[in-house]
């Protein structure tokens, strides 16, 4: 059985959480919402958006952005996700029968979706859209470099030795989002006026974007241009890479377990219309086996393997544990999801473990792919709906054959889990 433990890092206490009872105490404690020191390595890229901020700023931004993920908004996003799913299938038509390295293809899909839903623009129609795609990965590259080498944790050392390497790419990404925001602000001002715009009117827009919520908040004096840029960059980064890694592992698992893939396919035939242009959230919600397959992929391959928090003030947990001020907590989600205390034969892939009858009695914090508590992922419903939509389109058109042995996968952990070797599959057209 895996147990939580304490280590020491740079003279500071680090509580490593591997069990669900302790994870619950951390996730539900209102004093423990400040991110760990490593997150500051993302600050040059993301500023103090929703991922990075804390206290009053975080509470205010969370409250402001929550309506952007209302069910009515997800309904508006349906057409965008379906359009991009069709484009993905068309690209795979050109690759069918050949081994396909999933990374770039899936990342293009998720980045295009988040760009159009967050910003309201199509990357392929922007002059510098390709440059944006090429350079947004710098957010993670710079973070992982600092995480890997402790001497770079010191700001003055990082600024002297490394920062200059990433500045040109950061400028491209920030200039792109800032330029889109400026153009959207002009368009927004023409369409809506602060004294007469209601949230309902915003939701009725055919192509609603997260940016509409932010521009509405700007009209009300709740956020400025710099704040909008922070949130846009945060959602672009958080919304494309985590989802793409989950989809990559899910497609790999579909290829490795053909009988389960067939179950997913038969369920899609039974529960969705043959005309995928009518595919909607209601039909997707009926795909219970596909959802469990996705959940099991996220259990075994958590896209965010760890979450770190700072203990700002001395904090007592309900089990009597006292955490000293300026100590740290690391919740090891990857290990928590493979803890045999909560999951029988945890290294076996089994979607049926998420059936209602098999979930009875399981600790509610044993499975937290989208984090949990106050700082859970604000976009988790959107992510699930996006991933299901793409998988329906793929499975309707292709059988997925294996091109990699999961036993040979070598993981490299940063802010997002990745594999050192490429994850490949083959798409074969269904007869």
């Amino acid at each position: 059985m895996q147990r939580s433990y304490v280590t020491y890092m740079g003279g500071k206490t680090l509580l490593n959480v591997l069990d669900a009872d302790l994870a619950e105490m951390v996730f539900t404690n209102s004093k423990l919402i400040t991110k760990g020191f490593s997150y500051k390595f993302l600050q040059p890229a993301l500023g103090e958006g929703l991922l990075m901020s804390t206290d009053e700023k975080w509470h205010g931004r969370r409250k402001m952005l929550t309506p952007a993920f209302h069910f009515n908004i997800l309904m508006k996003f349906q057409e965008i996700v379906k359009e991009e799913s069709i484009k993905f299938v068309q690209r795979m038509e050109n690759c069918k029968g050949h081994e396909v390295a999933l990374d770039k293809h899936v990342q293009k899909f998720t980045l295009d979706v988040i760009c159009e839903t967050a910003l309201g623009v199509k990357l392929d129609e922007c002059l510098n859209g390709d440059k944006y795609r090429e350079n947004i990965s710098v957010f993670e590259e710079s973070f992982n470099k600092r995480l890997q080498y402790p001497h770079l944790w010191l700001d003055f050392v990082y600024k002297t030795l490394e920062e200059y390497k990433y500045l040109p790419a950061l400028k491209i990404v920030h200039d792109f989002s800032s330029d889109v925001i400026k153009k959207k602000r002009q368009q927004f001002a023409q369409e809506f006026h602060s004294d007469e715009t209601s949230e309902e009117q915003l939701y009725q827009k055919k192509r609603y974007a997260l940016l509409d919520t932010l521009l509405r908040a700007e009209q009300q004096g709740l956020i400025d241009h710099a704040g909008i840029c922070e949130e846009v960059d945060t959602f672009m980064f958080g919304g494309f890479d985590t989802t793409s890694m989950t989809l990559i592992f899910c497609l790999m698992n579909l290829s490795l377990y053909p009988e389960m893939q067939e179950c997913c396919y038969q369920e899609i035939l039974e529960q969705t219309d043959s005309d995928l242009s009518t595919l909607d959230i209601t039909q997707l919600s009926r795909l219970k086996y596909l959802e469990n397959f996705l959940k099991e992929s996220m259990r075994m391959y958590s896209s965010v393997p760890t979450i770190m928090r700072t203990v700002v003030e001395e904090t007592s947990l309900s089990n009597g544990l006292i955490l000293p001020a300026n100590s740290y907590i690391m919740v090891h989600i990857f290990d928590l999801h493979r803890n045999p205390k909560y999951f029988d034969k945890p290294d076996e892939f089994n979607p049926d473990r998420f059936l209602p009858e098999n979930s009875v009695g399981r600790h509610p914090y044993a499975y937290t792919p989208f984090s949990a508590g106050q700082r859970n992922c604000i976009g988790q419903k959107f992510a699930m709906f996006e991933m299901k939509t793409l998988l329906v389109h793929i499975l309707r058109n292709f059988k997925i054959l294996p091109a990699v042995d999961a036993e040979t996968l070598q993981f490299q952990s940063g802010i997002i889990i990745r594999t050192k070797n490429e994850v490949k599959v083959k798409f074969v057209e269904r007869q």
Side-chain angles (χ1 to χ4, degrees), residues 100-311:
V100 176
L102 291 170
D103 201 12
K104 287 185 179 178
H105 294 289
V106 175
Q107 280 189 353
K108 176 176 168 53
F109 166 79
T110 56
L111 186 55
D112 286 357
V113 166
I114 196 64
C115 187
E116 199 168 346
T117 53
L119 293 176
V121 298
K122 291 180 185 287
L123 265 180
D124 287 327
E125 294 176 4
C126 298
L127 288 174
N128 47 357
D130 287 336
K131 279 192 174 181
Y132 184 86
R133 276 197 200 94
E134 291 165 13
N135 288 282
I136 193 170
S137 60
V138 75
F139 289 5
E140 187 188 3
E141 286 172 24
S142 58
F143 174 90
N144 288 346
K145 187 70 177 282
R146 293 192 75 173
L147 202 62
Q148 191 176 357
Y149 298 103
H151 66 283
L152 296 178
W153 295 0
L154 299 170
D155 285 341
F156 78 91
V157 175
Y158 173 75
K159 288 179 183 295
T160 303
L161 299 180
E162 289 290 325
E163 186 179 49
Y164 72 94
K165 298 176 184 177
Y166 304 107
L167 289 177
L170 280 176
K171 186 176 187 310
I172 289 170
V173 173
H174 288 154
D175 285 353
F176 176 85
S177 53
S178 188
D179 186 45
V180 171
I181 291 164
K182 285 175 184 173
K183 289 175 183 173
K184 283 287 178 181
R185 184 183 288 109
Q186 294 168 357
Q187 180 185 333
F188 189 88
Q190 291 170 358
E191 291 180 2
F192 301 108
H193 302 287
S194 58
D195 58 343
E196 58 189 47
T197 306
S198 66
E199 285 186 359
E200 286 72 22
Q201 286 174 297
L202 280 183
Y203 296 165
Q204 287 166 8
K205 282 189 68 173
K206 186 178 179 184
R207 289 291 184 175
Y208 177 89
L210 172 76
L211 190 47
D212 289 303
T213 291
L214 292 167
L215 293 172
R216 168 67 168 156
E218 185 184 45
Q219 282 186 336
Q220 297 170 332
L222 300 174
I223 195 169
D224 58 13
H225 177 75
I228 293 176
C229 289
E230 286 176 339
E231 298 304 345
V232 164
D233 289 332
T234 295
F235 276 89
M236 293 299 291
F237 172 68
F240 100 92
D241 230 354
T242 52
T243 310
S244 69
M245 288 313 301
T246 299
L247 279 167
I248 286 167
F249 286 124
C250 188
L251 288 166
M252 177 193 77
N253 285 324
L254 285 166
S255 76
L256 295 174
Y257 303 102
E259 291 180 5
M260 297 181 194
Q261 181 185 159
E262 184 63 19
C263 288
C264 291
Y265 176 63
Q266 291 300 326
E267 182 183 59
I268 289 167
L269 291 183
E270 292 167 11
Q271 301 296 340
T272 65
D273 296 342
S274 56
D275 179 5
L276 289 182
S277 66
T278 68
L279 186 67
D280 58 18
I281 290 175
T282 303
Q283 291 180 52
L284 291 172
S285 68
R286 297 199 294 259
L287 301 175
K288 301 300 184 184
Y289 187 80
L290 180 64
E291 182 167 319
N292 289 343
F293 193 96
L294 255 173
K295 285 181 175 179
E296 180 68 345
S297 287
M298 288 189 286
R299 183 191 69 82
M300 291 197 70
Y301 305 102
S302 312
S303 59
V304 178
T306 58
I307 291 173
M308 194 178 190
R309 299 282 169 85
T310 297
V311 184

Side-chain angles (χ1 to χ4, degrees), residues 353-372:
R353 69 174 82 243
F354 287 101
L355 288 169
E357 60 269 27
N358 294 334
S359 302
V360 173
R362 184 181 299 140
H363 198 295
Y365 287 80
Y367 178 70
T368 57
F370 295 103
S371 186

Side-chain angles (χ1 to χ4, degrees), residues 38-47 51-52 139 143 237 415:
S38 60
Y39 287 80
K40 75 174 185 177
F41 302 157
L42 281 170
Q43 210 152 8
L46 304 180
L51 178 67
M52 309 288 292
F139 289 5
F143 174 90
F237 172 68
I415 194 166

Side-chain angles (χ1 to χ4, degrees), residues 60-109:
R61 292 281 178 89
R62 179 83 182 205
K63 184 178 179 182
M64 176 196 308
L65 290 162
T66 296
F69 294 89
H70 188 277
F71 180 78
N72 292 344
I73 301 302
L74 293 184
M75 299 285 279
K76 297 287 183 187
F77 291 160
Q78 284 178 149
E79 296 309 313
I80 294 170
V81 180
K82 284 193 288 189
E83 282 177 20
E84 295 301 332
S85 298
I86 291 167
K87 290 179 187 175
F88 182 93
V89 167
Q90 289 170 343
R91 288 194 294 272
M92 292 308 99
E93 285 282 347
N94 299 323
C95 307
K96 61 189 177 189
H98 301 285
E99 289 188 1
V100 176
L102 291 170
D103 201 12
K104 287 185 179 178
H105 294 289
V106 175
Q107 280 189 353
K108 176 176 168 53
F109 166 79

